Amino acid sequence: MEDTTRPEEEHQHGQELSAEEWRREEVQRITRLVEDGDVDSAVALLSELHPADRGEALLAMESGPLGETMARLTPEATAEVLEFVDLEEALALISETDPAVLPRVLDETSLDVAADVLRSLPPSRSLEALAGMSDAAEVAPLLGYSDESAGGLMVPEFPAVSAHMTAGIALDVLRLLGPDAEEFASIFVVDSEGRLLGSITVTKLALSPLNDVVRDIMHPEVVSVTADTDQEECARLMDHYGLRYLPVLDGDRRLIGIIMLEDVVEVVTEEATEDMFRIAGIAGERVMGPFGSSVRSRLPWLYINLGTAFLAALVISFFESTIARVAALAVFLPIVAGQGGIAGTQTLTLVVRSMALGELSSTRGMRLVARELLLGLLHGLLLAAVVGAVAYMWMGTPVLGAVVGAAMLGNMVVAGLAGSGVPLLLRRLKMDPAVSSAIFVTTFTDVLGFLMFLGLAALLIEWLV
């Protein structure tokens, strides 16, 4: 299939579009070429794209065309893409890669990416790929670390100098490392056994007299983690101390790797997304992902939510006679419950985020609950005044306004308690606080909101009719 677009027309067209629009059009163009069977032209266009855009184009293809395209890519081109996609997407691409070519692809990636991929493959395929890699000796030690630990996140290649070197020799060491040391503004200092002693900036090293000993001019205080430290804690430390690199030590304080800032940014994004999905009960789902996976992810929580809805309906059924006598009560039921649900979700989102960032220690739990109860009381008073006045003016019954206002006040307090208490309780039970907490919070606010509103109405029924 011949492309009839002239270069000057393509350039002019590109100038009229934003970078995002142009990139999207190129991806669609490549996808159409593959679907039309012109894989050679598609591969030629792919090679001109940035690896991140190349990955997006590949992931937009169906399985058949994707397999054809992957077969035409060089191992180097495939490896570049793996560096810019997340692990789930990398595995989707690798599933369409010839097993005989996979070792060459992984040899071209960074060691941490290769380890992530091998760790996620079926054991038989992982061992087969590792056996064919020339970098197997460097990658194999990384496979023993958990994917969500500092060891699984670290890069085992880093510039370091010995403490007994002079500044001049240390600079020579950096020159020998060449491009591998270019991105580092500071380097780590180790002793003869490889134990971490401190760090020194490249600028300070360059400006110091050549005969100065590194130990005398280094900065001895360095924030570090062990290989089994959770990745969220690593992200929190790097954010708190403003670090670009975080050293990872073994049990003898030997420096075995470093965590790069860009890898931590990816972790924070993934963890935030994961928590957000879990709150909504759709953990692990992707936009335009497999249809069956979406059903399996959502349906169990929809059933749970259905059960809690029946529980709220059961509460309402206890007061059928009250509602039958004062039909106006039905008008205000969703207002009381809905306002409490929103307030509870606000508190819940704030608490779960604070937990994820390590800002909420276990000792501050009761202070948080007290604070949210006070906020619920204040918000409840302000909202109760408004909703009570509206109910009175609308229905012409002052007692109804008082009942609606009192129920609103009570449910806002419940919302503050549930929104802060549910995630704290889940954490105390060693459960993930983000796991569909919203469903439980809205259950509390719906059930107790209905109970308070209709219960008060039943007690004061003679003044409402």
Side-chain angles (χ1 to χ4, degrees):
M1 180 177 177
E2 185 178 356
D3 182 16
T4 58
T5 304
R6 293 181 300 179
E8 61 270 19
E9 291 176 346
E10 183 176 322
H11 176 75
Q12 183 178 1
H13 181 56
Q15 292 293 321
E16 296 171 356
L17 300 174
S18 68
E20 177 67 19
E21 291 170 333
W22 177 85
R23 180 185 57 76
R24 192 179 299 114
E25 282 203 358
E26 288 296 288
V27 169
Q28 292 172 350
R29 185 179 173 198
I30 291 167
T31 304
R32 285 195 299 270
L33 286 172
V34 174
E35 290 172 349
D36 292 341
D38 192 0
V39 181
D40 289 334
S41 297
V43 171
L45 282 176
L46 275 172
S47 65
E48 299 174 4
L49 295 179
H50 186 280
D53 299 330
R54 197 182 307 157
E56 183 176 339
L58 290 169
L59 291 165
M61 299 176 188
E62 297 295 332
S63 178
L66 176 59
E68 286 187 62
T69 308
M70 294 295 293
R72 308 283 183 94
L73 293 180
T74 64
E76 294 79 9
T78 303
E80 287 177 343
V81 172
L82 297 186
E83 297 283 350
F84 285 91
V85 297
D86 64 31
L87 182 58
E88 184 179 331
E89 294 168 337
L91 294 175
L93 296 177
I94 285 172
S95 68
E96 302 291 340
T97 302
D98 184 350
V101 178
L102 181 57
R104 293 170 55 197
V105 171
L106 296 181
D107 276 331
E108 295 295 331
T109 65
S110 58
L111 297 179
D112 57 320
V113 170
D116 286 342
V117 169
L118 290 171
R119 208 182 283 118
S120 303
L121 290 175
S124 58
R125 192 175 184 192
S126 178
L127 289 173
E128 182 183 350
L130 185 63
M133 291 178 62
S134 59
D135 290 340
E138 289 80 13
V139 175
L142 300 179
L143 299 180
Y145 299 114
S146 166
D147 205 19
E148 297 186 350
S149 68
L153 194 61
M154 72 180 182
V155 178
E157 301 162 319
F158 52 87
V161 295
S162 178
H164 67 266
M165 289 181 178
T166 63
I169 295 176
L171 287 172
D172 289 337
V173 169
L174 291 181
R175 293 190 187 97
L176 291 173
L177 290 173
D180 292 336
E182 285 181 0
E183 60 183 291
F184 291 91
S186 62
I187 55 177
F188 296 105
V189 181
V190 297
D191 64 13
S192 57
E193 300 295 325
R195 288 186 288 265
L196 181 65
L197 298 178
S199 67
I200 185 170
T201 65
V202 175
T203 302
K204 185 171 185 179
L205 198 59
L207 295 178
S208 298
L210 297 180
N211 292 327
D212 279 4
V213 178
V214 170
R215 180 188 292 272
D216 297 332
I217 57 177
M218 72 177 186
H219 183 65
E221 296 180 5
V222 182
V223 177
S224 63
V225 294
T226 59
D228 59 354
T229 302
D230 186 84
Q231 61 179 8
E232 289 190 58
E233 175 65 11
C234 297
R236 190 189 68 80
L237 287 173
M238 295 189 75
D239 177 63
H240 182 72
Y241 292 103
L243 305 176
R244 292 184 61 190
Y245 330 103
L246 181 64
V248 182
L249 313 181
D250 65 10
D252 296 321
R253 288 196 56 80
R254 284 192 294 265
L255 183 59
I256 57 174
I258 62 170
I259 297 173
M260 310 285 286
L261 179 60
E262 56 264 32
D263 293 327
V264 165
V265 170
E266 185 177 334
V267 166
V268 171
T269 302
E270 290 175 355
E271 292 290 348
T273 302
E274 183 180 327
D275 285 347
M276 183 174 64
F277 282 175
R278 283 179 173 174
I279 288 174
I282 53 173
E285 190 176 337
R286 296 281 180 177
V287 174
M288 301 305 291
F291 189 80
S293 175
S294 295
V295 173
R296 289 191 300 272
S297 173
R298 301 186 194 187
L299 190 58
W301 292 109
L302 290 174
Y303 275 129
I304 292 174
N305 192 62
L306 182 62
T308 62
F310 275 125
L311 181 61
L314 179 64
V315 171
I316 295 175
S317 71
F318 293 150
F319 299 94
E320 281 187 43
S321 60
T322 303
I323 297 174
R325 293 182 65 183
V326 186
L329 294 173
V331 174
F332 296 96
L333 280 173
I335 297 175
V336 173
Q339 201 69 29
I342 291 174
T345 303
Q346 286 178 333
T347 301
L348 173 67
T349 303
L350 179 65
V351 173
V352 170
R353 178 187 178 278
S354 298
M355 286 180 173
L357 296 177
E359 298 173 349
L360 185 61
S361 64
S362 56
T363 57
R364 299 175 63 187
M366 293 309 297
R367 286 178 56 191
L368 171 69
V369 172
R371 178 181 183 276
E372 291 303 324
L373 282 175
L374 185 60
L375 276 172
L377 181 62
L378 177 60
H379 291 156
L381 287 170
L382 296 173
L383 290 170
V386 173
V387 74
V390 170
Y392 167 56
M393 290 185 290
W394 188 359
M395 302 298 176
T397 307
V399 176
L400 178 60
V403 169
V404 175
M408 179 66 74
L409 171 60
N411 209 21
M412 292 300 290
V413 173
V414 169
L417 179 62
S420 58
V422 166
L424 288 171
L425 178 61
L426 290 175
R427 184 170 72 173
R428 177 65 64 89
L429 296 175
K430 307 298 183 184
M431 297 172 63
D432 189 341
V435 179
S436 290
S437 299
I439 292 176
F440 300 113
V441 170
T442 53
T443 299
F444 276 111
T445 55
D446 284 354
V447 171
L448 294 179
F450 292 152
L451 188 61
M452 286 185 289
F453 180 42
L454 296 175
L456 283 171
L459 288 173
L460 301 174
I461 189 68
E462 299 302 327
W463 286 271
L464 291 173
V465 294

Short mmCIF file of all heavy atoms in Angstrom, two decimals, residues 1-10 29 33 38 41 45:
data_model
loop_
_atom_site.label_atom_id
_atom_site.label_comp_id
_atom_site.label_asym_id
_atom_site.label_seq_id
_atom_site.Cartn_x
_atom_site.Cartn_y
_atom_site.Cartn_z
N MET A 1 0.86 -1.20 0.00
CA MET A 1 0.00 0.00 0.00
C MET A 1 0.88 1.24 0.00
O MET A 1 1.73 1.42 0.88
CB MET A 1 -0.91 0.01 1.23
CG MET A 1 -1.81 1.21 1.32
SD MET A 1 -2.92 1.09 2.77
CE MET A 1 -3.76 2.64 2.61
N GLU A 2 0.70 2.07 -0.99
CA GLU A 2 1.59 3.23 -1.14
C GLU A 2 1.04 4.43 -0.39
O GLU A 2 -0.15 4.74 -0.46
CB GLU A 2 1.71 3.56 -2.63
CG GLU A 2 2.73 4.67 -2.89
CD GLU A 2 2.88 4.94 -4.37
OE1 GLU A 2 2.26 4.22 -5.17
OE2 GLU A 2 3.60 5.88 -4.71
N ASP A 3 1.94 5.12 0.32
CA ASP A 3 1.54 6.32 1.05
C ASP A 3 1.70 7.52 0.13
O ASP A 3 2.81 7.82 -0.34
CB ASP A 3 2.42 6.47 2.28
CG ASP A 3 2.01 7.69 3.10
OD1 ASP A 3 0.92 8.23 2.90
OD2 ASP A 3 2.84 8.08 3.93
N THR A 4 0.60 8.21 -0.18
CA THR A 4 0.64 9.30 -1.16
C THR A 4 0.82 10.66 -0.52
O THR A 4 0.80 11.68 -1.20
CB THR A 4 -0.68 9.31 -1.97
OG1 THR A 4 -1.78 9.44 -1.07
CG2 THR A 4 -0.85 8.00 -2.75
N THR A 5 1.00 10.72 0.79
CA THR A 5 1.17 12.01 1.45
C THR A 5 2.56 12.57 1.14
O THR A 5 3.57 11.91 1.38
CB THR A 5 1.02 11.85 2.97
OG1 THR A 5 -0.24 11.26 3.23
CG2 THR A 5 1.12 13.20 3.66
N ARG A 6 2.62 13.76 0.61
CA ARG A 6 3.90 14.38 0.30
C ARG A 6 4.54 14.92 1.57
O ARG A 6 3.83 15.39 2.47
CB ARG A 6 3.71 15.52 -0.72
CG ARG A 6 3.25 15.00 -2.09
CD ARG A 6 3.11 16.15 -3.05
NE ARG A 6 2.14 17.13 -2.57
CZ ARG A 6 1.85 18.25 -3.22
NH1 ARG A 6 2.46 18.53 -4.36
NH2 ARG A 6 0.97 19.08 -2.73
N PRO A 7 5.90 14.92 1.66
CA PRO A 7 6.58 15.37 2.88
C PRO A 7 6.19 16.77 3.29
O PRO A 7 5.97 17.05 4.46
CB PRO A 7 8.06 15.27 2.49
CG PRO A 7 8.11 14.23 1.41
CD PRO A 7 6.83 14.38 0.67
N GLU A 8 6.06 17.70 2.28
CA GLU A 8 5.74 19.07 2.67
C GLU A 8 4.33 19.17 3.22
O GLU A 8 4.05 19.97 4.12
CB GLU A 8 5.94 20.02 1.48
CG GLU A 8 5.05 19.73 0.27
CD GLU A 8 5.72 18.76 -0.71
OE1 GLU A 8 6.66 18.06 -0.28
OE2 GLU A 8 5.32 18.71 -1.88
N GLU A 9 3.40 18.33 2.65
CA GLU A 9 2.03 18.33 3.15
C GLU A 9 1.98 17.77 4.56
O GLU A 9 1.26 18.27 5.43
CB GLU A 9 1.13 17.48 2.23
CG GLU A 9 0.90 18.11 0.87
CD GLU A 9 0.09 17.18 -0.02
OE1 GLU A 9 -0.04 15.99 0.34
OE2 GLU A 9 -0.40 17.64 -1.06
N GLU A 10 2.76 16.70 4.81
CA GLU A 10 2.79 16.08 6.14
C GLU A 10 3.35 17.07 7.16
O GLU A 10 2.83 17.19 8.27
CB GLU A 10 3.66 14.82 6.09
CG GLU A 10 3.70 14.07 7.40
CD GLU A 10 4.48 12.77 7.26
OE1 GLU A 10 4.39 12.11 6.23
OE2 GLU A 10 5.21 12.47 8.22
N ARG A 29 -2.60 5.79 12.03
CA ARG A 29 -2.11 5.52 10.67
C ARG A 29 -1.37 4.18 10.63
O ARG A 29 -1.58 3.38 9.70
CB ARG A 29 -1.19 6.67 10.26
CG ARG A 29 -0.68 6.62 8.84
CD ARG A 29 0.19 7.83 8.60
NE ARG A 29 0.87 7.79 7.33
CZ ARG A 29 1.92 8.53 7.04
NH1 ARG A 29 2.41 9.36 7.94
NH2 ARG A 29 2.48 8.46 5.85
N LEU A 33 -2.38 0.65 8.62
CA LEU A 33 -1.46 -0.04 7.71
C LEU A 33 -1.38 -1.52 8.05
O LEU A 33 -1.39 -2.38 7.16
CB LEU A 33 -0.07 0.60 7.78
CG LEU A 33 0.11 1.96 7.09
CD1 LEU A 33 1.46 2.55 7.41
CD2 LEU A 33 -0.07 1.81 5.58
N ASP A 38 -0.17 -4.13 5.22
CA ASP A 38 1.11 -3.52 4.82
C ASP A 38 2.01 -3.38 6.05
O ASP A 38 2.27 -2.27 6.54
CB ASP A 38 0.85 -2.16 4.16
CG ASP A 38 2.09 -1.60 3.47
OD1 ASP A 38 3.14 -2.28 3.50
OD2 ASP A 38 2.01 -0.49 2.92
N SER A 41 5.44 -1.25 5.81
CA SER A 41 5.30 0.20 5.92
C SER A 41 5.02 0.60 7.36
O SER A 41 5.52 1.63 7.84
CB SER A 41 4.17 0.70 5.02
OG SER A 41 4.45 0.45 3.66
N LEU A 45 7.29 3.11 9.75
CA LEU A 45 6.77 4.27 10.48
C LEU A 45 7.01 4.13 11.98
O LEU A 45 7.32 5.10 12.66
CB LEU A 45 5.28 4.43 10.21
CG LEU A 45 4.88 5.06 8.88
CD1 LEU A 45 3.36 5.07 8.73
CD2 LEU A 45 5.41 6.49 8.78
#
